[in-house]
Amino acid sequence: YVYRDTISLPMACADWVFEWASCCRNAATTNLLDPDTHGYSVIAQLNNLSGGNSSPVFQELQMPFTCTNAMYCIDNTAYDADGDSLVYSMVNPVDDTGLPLVYNMPFSVADPFPSVNGHTFDATTGNHCAVPTTAGAWVMAYKVEEYRNGVLVGSAVRDIEIWTSFCASAVLDFAGTVTDTLGNPVTAGMVELYEYGLNA
């Protein structure tokens, strides 16, 4: 889900909080303690003491399914219409009252699922990459903060659940006739498949 609105505020304050909460989380979630007894919240904050602000917008919707033993990257890159400086962090997911949720041991904010060589997270781009080793459902949350002239003017949080499965390795076979753009049969050569995006 993407939650978006345009709001006119009655005054300037440094600590506006916008929150959307819902119940309930998936009972199959592997890395959270008692996940189905909690809801979730997504939160944005605003400091409008120095004028209006547009929240950063995450650019890529995440592919929720991944395979064990294959590199998976979560692209948290955001666009800010005001040109503010963006700083990313991994944060605790929260419940529907805004309280941080507890990860099952040994999982944590920095290590939310089992991986081959740990997790890499880039605070400049928000990209989080790892090679999952275990099947399961994993919840993570990311915050992007926006700074203008060194002053925090807002933030937005993204809450993501991914599913990791054991995937059989795939071999792609082509049958039939391959033709060029003019309809002529192609009898020799190679076929190249392209997928664009961080997970390609």
Side-chain angles (χ1 to χ4, degrees), residues 174-186:
F174 292 91
T177 303
V178 176
T179 59
D180 63 19
T181 56
L182 299 175
N184 300 317
V186 176

Side-chain angles (χ1 to χ4, degrees), residues 6-13 16 18 45-56 80-84 146-149 151-155:
T6 300
I7 298 170
S8 297
L9 299 169
M11 66 188 78
C13 289
W16 292 102
F18 306 92
Q45 296 174 311
L46 171 66
N47 171 359
N48 68 335
L49 288 177
S50 58
N53 185 53
S54 295
S55 297
D80 186 79
D82 305 311
D84 297 326
E146 49 183 327
Y147 290 86
R148 189 176 303 154
N149 302 319
V151 176
L152 178 65
V153 293
S155 67

